[in-house]
Amino acid sequence: MNISLVGNITTPKYLRDSFSTAVTRNVIVVGLCISINYINGTLVHTFIKHEIFNGNPRYILFIHMVFNDMMQLTIAVMLHVLSYTVFTLNISFCCVLLMSVIFTTLNTPLNLATMAIERYIAICNPLRHAQICTVPKTYILIGLIWVLSAIQVLPDLFILLATKPLTFFYSRMPCVRDYVFDDPYIVEKRNVVYIIYLTFVWLTIVYTYLKIMFVAKATNSDARKARSTIILHGIQLLMCMLTFVGPFLDRLLAEIFPVFILDTRFASYLVIQIMPRFISPIVYG
């Protein structure tokens, strides 16, 4: 991002990029966003155009992840550009944008775990795959993914509403999650939930990979392909995890390179927010 808060809470100081640097960085970010969303849009168009994909749970889950990534990237880039153009946002509007980004960010690992389970059923229990993995059940699972993400995110908003005065939501400040949701309990809860959440997803992917690997030893070509797909899920999950360590990474880089804090934050933004969405459609598509 283009801003950094230094000093104490009562006397904040904000660092800002020069005009030429700001323009260059925004052109890079917006250009990448348009390119990635164009690729993703092509995938969505192909999915809609061909009925064979519409009736396949595997591709429905995949296109949900693509559409989810498009939403996440668009809002994240919007926040990035707004931080350069208006610098501060109304906190109520900021909360809407932040909650949207958090929702879509949390959806991706759950979607990857669901895709891994679908491949596991297809390879390890093929006779019941058509019965278990139906289109209606797939849409129910997608709804459940959003519900699980909401369970993790909405308590933060309720805590904010309970602890902050009404005037807080009419004020303006840089739209950064750690600045808005700054209650220590929210931060602690978020860390605990992330550990549980990511542990569950990792165990699911590792379990399905191992089960499929044993089947693949029987020289089943479909099983070998499924094993490769699960590996891709694991790689994608590793990239998604960068989002969860982003705040810690920013603080660490700020301590190591205090003179280049704005440069390190922009590099961190590209690696954490942009690159996973850039690689994902190329690999999966």
Side-chain angles (χ1 to χ4, degrees), residues 86-192:
V86 298
F87 189 51
T88 60
L89 291 178
N90 174 270
I91 290 181
S92 297
F93 179 58
C94 173
C95 285
V96 173
L97 295 178
L98 287 177
M99 297 293 284
S100 300
V101 170
I102 297 169
F103 266 120
T104 50
T105 299
L106 291 173
N107 281 345
T108 299
L110 289 176
N111 202 96
L112 290 170
T114 305
M115 292 171 70
I117 293 172
E118 187 276 331
R119 285 293 83 200
Y120 161 74
I121 296 173
I123 300 302
C124 299
N125 199 356
L127 298 179
R128 298 192 61 193
H129 179 263
Q131 178 184 355
I132 297 173
C133 300
T134 63
V135 172
K137 289 180 180 178
T138 302
Y139 285 113
I140 291 174
L141 274 176
I142 290 174
L144 183 61
I145 288 173
W146 283 87
V147 170
L148 291 174
S149 297
I151 291 173
Q152 298 178 69
V153 175
L154 290 180
D156 294 354
L157 180 61
F158 296 148
I159 293 171
L160 193 68
L161 291 170
T163 57
K164 298 292 185 181
L166 187 61
T167 53
F168 173 78
F169 297 94
Y170 291 100
S171 59
R172 300 176 67 89
M173 69 185 305
C175 192
V176 180
R177 184 178 186 181
D178 287 344
Y179 300 171
V180 178
F181 298 95
D182 60 348
D183 188 281
Y185 176 77
I186 293 179
V187 177
E188 187 65 27
K189 181 196 73 68
R190 184 175 66 200
N191 293 335
V192 172

Side-chain angles (χ1 to χ4, degrees), residues 1-220:
M1 301 294 287
N2 71 319
I3 57 175
S4 176
L5 182 65
V6 296
N8 55 45
I9 297 176
T10 57
T11 59
K13 297 179 180 179
Y14 300 103
L15 302 177
R16 305 189 69 172
D17 289 316
S18 65
F19 177 77
S20 59
T21 301
V23 171
T24 301
R25 289 179 175 175
N26 276 280
V27 169
I28 293 173
V29 169
V30 173
L32 287 172
C33 177
I34 294 173
S35 301
I36 295 169
N37 279 345
Y38 174 79
I39 298 173
N40 283 333
T42 302
L43 295 175
V44 173
H45 174 73
T46 303
F47 173 82
I48 296 173
K49 185 177 179 181
H50 298 280
E51 292 185 4
I52 189 173
F53 297 137
N54 298 332
N56 190 314
R58 181 185 183 187
Y59 292 112
I60 293 173
L61 290 170
F62 167 70
I63 215 65
H64 171 253
M65 184 177 70
V66 170
F67 184 73
N68 184 81
D69 281 354
M70 290 177 69
M71 290 177 57
Q72 196 277 344
L73 181 62
T74 300
I75 300 172
V77 170
M78 184 189 304
L79 281 170
H80 186 272
V81 174
L82 287 174
S83 71
Y84 278 88
T85 54
V86 298
F87 189 51
T88 60
L89 291 178
N90 174 270
I91 290 181
S92 297
F93 179 58
C94 173
C95 285
V96 173
L97 295 178
L98 287 177
M99 297 293 284
S100 300
V101 170
I102 297 169
F103 266 120
T104 50
T105 299
L106 291 173
N107 281 345
T108 299
L110 289 176
N111 202 96
L112 290 170
T114 305
M115 292 171 70
I117 293 172
E118 187 276 331
R119 285 293 83 200
Y120 161 74
I121 296 173
I123 300 302
C124 299
N125 199 356
L127 298 179
R128 298 192 61 193
H129 179 263
Q131 178 184 355
I132 297 173
C133 300
T134 63
V135 172
K137 289 180 180 178
T138 302
Y139 285 113
I140 291 174
L141 274 176
I142 290 174
L144 183 61
I145 288 173
W146 283 87
V147 170
L148 291 174
S149 297
I151 291 173
Q152 298 178 69
V153 175
L154 290 180
D156 294 354
L157 180 61
F158 296 148
I159 293 171
L160 193 68
L161 291 170
T163 57
K164 298 292 185 181
L166 187 61
T167 53
F168 173 78
F169 297 94
Y170 291 100
S171 59
R172 300 176 67 89
M173 69 185 305
C175 192
V176 180
R177 184 178 186 181
D178 287 344
Y179 300 171
V180 178
F181 298 95
D182 60 348
D183 188 281
Y185 176 77
I186 293 179
V187 177
E188 187 65 27
K189 181 196 73 68
R190 184 175 66 200
N191 293 335
V192 172
V193 168
Y194 280 176
I195 292 173
I196 298 173
Y197 168 80
L198 291 174
T199 299
F200 166 76
V201 174
W202 268 115
L203 288 176
T204 300
I205 289 182
V206 170
Y207 174 80
T208 54
Y209 173 77
L210 291 176
K211 296 292 287 186
I212 291 174
M213 184 178 67
F214 293 141
V215 175
K217 287 183 177 180
T219 65
N220 186 319

